[in-house]
Amino acid sequence: MNIRRFETTDAEAVSAVVIKTLRISNAKDYPAELMEEIVKSMQPQNILERAGWTHFYVVEDNGQIIGCGSIGPYWGKEDESSLFTIFVLPEYQGKGVGRLIMETLENDEFFLRAKRIEIPASITGCQFYRKFGYDYKNGKAELDEERLYRLEKFRTPAIPAIKAIARNNIPECTEVIRTSFMTVADEFGFTVENAPRFVAFATTDDKLYSQFDSEHRPMYGYFSENGRIIGYYSLLLLENNECELNNLCVLPEYRHKNIGSALFADACAKAKDKGCEKLVFSIVEENEKLRKWYEKQGAVHTDTKKYDFFPFTCGYMEKSL
């Protein structure tokens, strides 16, 4: 069982899921004639229209769509959102499918940016939503003219932050490092055969665990609003009041949002707090864009060195703290 974003080719299958659920599950709480009126508004074209202005998800089991749900702006507002079209086939209800849909919707950007989220809840689904912290809008446990309960939840959007890495974050950090540096490998033609010691290929959970447990390296991550680690760096204290910066990176889809600059500034501040006077690090010398980026952060280029085990030149940079 997996959940994914809706595709236009899913419209007919999603419509069938919704209609079957309405006629079986919801018919227990509503007259059949009302359900048939709603069925008319849940045809494939209607699903496509809703998917056009919401983030629509479907749940599959062995290739069969068995559930769906969507989230979109509440009347165009950026700080309020609504959940829509949450249905699970009757034979799959009570098996965690609805929870999977809710958890996915509550990790969507429309949810994470909102201060208030509303659900037009059927009699059938009302108590299910209340288990997720939704309560009656304005405290009124009354059906509206559409015979729906209006439920709502208030939340304070989290603020992205740079925080120290805990040991249980290590596997996620490994993935962030490997994914981030793989774009460099792809750009310059590095492979596990010609550059097995390059960061994208050499970083493992065991390596980071060793750095964390034995070397006691300070490690920091940039955590998104939903708690995902999207950026990373670590420090290694050296002699002569120097500090080595390692593996500063940002996931590709989060670049160009000043996250890298925030991480570098934080690394400088953390190193200085530890009594260091200089931050040193290495880059792929051929990566001119990265070198210029670090120079904009106040770092200077100091040296280059060629190693037999790398198909590139190592460039060395530093910044006085």
Side-chain angles (χ1 to χ4, degrees):
M1 189 167 62
N2 69 289
I3 190 164
R4 61 171 174 80
R5 287 291 288 269
F6 172 91
E7 299 175 0
T8 56
T9 53
D10 297 325
E12 188 171 338
V14 169
S15 174
V17 167
V18 173
I19 290 171
K20 181 177 180 179
T21 307
L22 284 169
R23 286 174 170 166
I24 296 177
S25 300
N26 293 73
K28 299 173 184 176
D29 300 302
Y30 294 94
E33 58 270 21
L34 176 58
M35 289 298 93
E36 289 308 311
E37 284 299 313
I38 298 176
V39 162
K40 294 177 183 178
S41 66
M42 292 294 179
Q43 299 302 309
Q45 184 57 41
N46 304 113
I47 299 298
L48 284 170
E49 290 174 1
R50 178 158 292 183
W53 57 273
T54 66
H55 289 172
F56 210 116
Y57 296 85
V58 298
V59 181
E60 290 181 314
D61 184 36
N62 293 322
Q64 176 193 0
I65 293 178
I66 61 171
C68 60
S70 64
I71 184 169
Y74 177 78
W75 295 105
K77 296 184 178 181
E78 292 192 359
D79 61 350
E80 295 184 75
S81 296
S82 290
L83 303 185
F84 305 98
T85 330
I86 300 174
F87 290 92
V88 177
L89 283 175
E91 58 267 35
Y92 282 90
Q93 291 172 14
K95 299 181 179 181
V97 181
R99 174 170 292 277
L100 174 61
I101 293 170
M102 289 296 292
E103 290 174 348
T104 301
L105 295 177
E106 291 195 339
N107 275 303
D108 185 273
E109 61 183 278
F110 281 136
F111 182 90
L112 297 173
R113 76 180 192 182
K115 295 179 181 179
R116 191 186 76 88
I117 302 90
E118 183 167 314
I119 303 177
S122 66
I123 297 171
T124 314
C126 182
Q127 295 308 313
F128 170 76
Y129 299 125
R130 295 195 71 199
K131 293 178 182 179
F132 288 87
Y134 294 84
D135 209 346
Y136 299 106
K137 186 176 182 179
N138 299 321
K140 296 181 180 180
E142 303 172 355
L143 292 170
D144 64 11
E145 64 277 3
E146 298 179 63
R147 301 192 68 176
L148 298 171
Y149 289 108
R150 297 288 164 171
L151 304 181
E152 64 183 358
K153 177 193 280 190
F154 292 89
R155 64 180 297 276
T156 301
I159 300 174
I162 298 172
K163 297 184 290 186
I165 293 299
R167 196 176 192 278
N168 62 356
N169 296 137
I170 293 295
E172 186 175 2
C173 292
T174 300
E175 186 62 27
V176 169
I177 294 168
R178 291 175 67 93
T179 301
S180 299
F181 280 92
M182 188 58 70
T183 61
V184 180
D186 291 340
E187 180 178 356
F188 292 95
F190 306 154
T191 66
V192 69
E193 289 77 24
N194 65 22
R197 295 172 65 173
F198 184 63
V199 183
F201 312 116
T203 302
T204 63
D205 290 353
D206 287 343
K207 185 174 182 178
L208 293 192
Y209 280 131
S210 177
Q211 292 175 356
F212 188 93
D213 295 330
S214 302
E215 299 178 17
H216 306 294
R217 292 195 188 192
M219 297 178 175
Y220 298 91
Y222 192 103
F223 288 76
S224 68
E225 290 180 342
N226 64 354
R228 181 188 182 191
I229 299 173
I230 59 178
Y232 171 90
Y233 77 84
S234 69
L235 299 173
L236 178 63
L237 300 180
L238 306 174
E239 298 178 350
N240 303 319
N241 296 323
E242 292 185 352
C243 186
E244 183 178 87
L245 172 67
N246 288 283
N247 298 340
L248 189 150
C249 59
V250 178
L251 286 173
E253 62 267 35
Y254 290 94
R255 292 172 184 168
H256 310 297
K257 298 182 179 181
N258 296 317
I259 295 173
S261 297
L263 286 167
F264 187 74
D266 190 74
C268 292
K270 292 289 195 310
K272 187 173 182 179
D273 287 344
K274 296 179 184 300
C276 297
E277 298 175 356
K278 186 183 295 183
L279 188 72
V280 299
F281 55 96
S282 62
I283 63 170
V284 173
E285 180 68 15
E286 289 79 2
N287 194 341
E288 296 181 6
K289 288 189 295 185
L290 183 61
R291 173 177 168 175
K292 291 178 180 178
W293 182 85
Y294 274 119
E295 289 174 341
K296 287 182 179 179
Q297 312 304 315
V300 296
H301 189 268
T302 59
D303 198 7
T304 60
K305 191 168 184 179
K306 192 72 176 69
Y307 296 94
D308 292 338
F309 48 79
F310 280 145
F312 57 85
T313 303
C314 288
Y316 293 91
M317 303 189 74
E318 64 182 42
K319 181 176 179 179
S320 296
L321 305 176

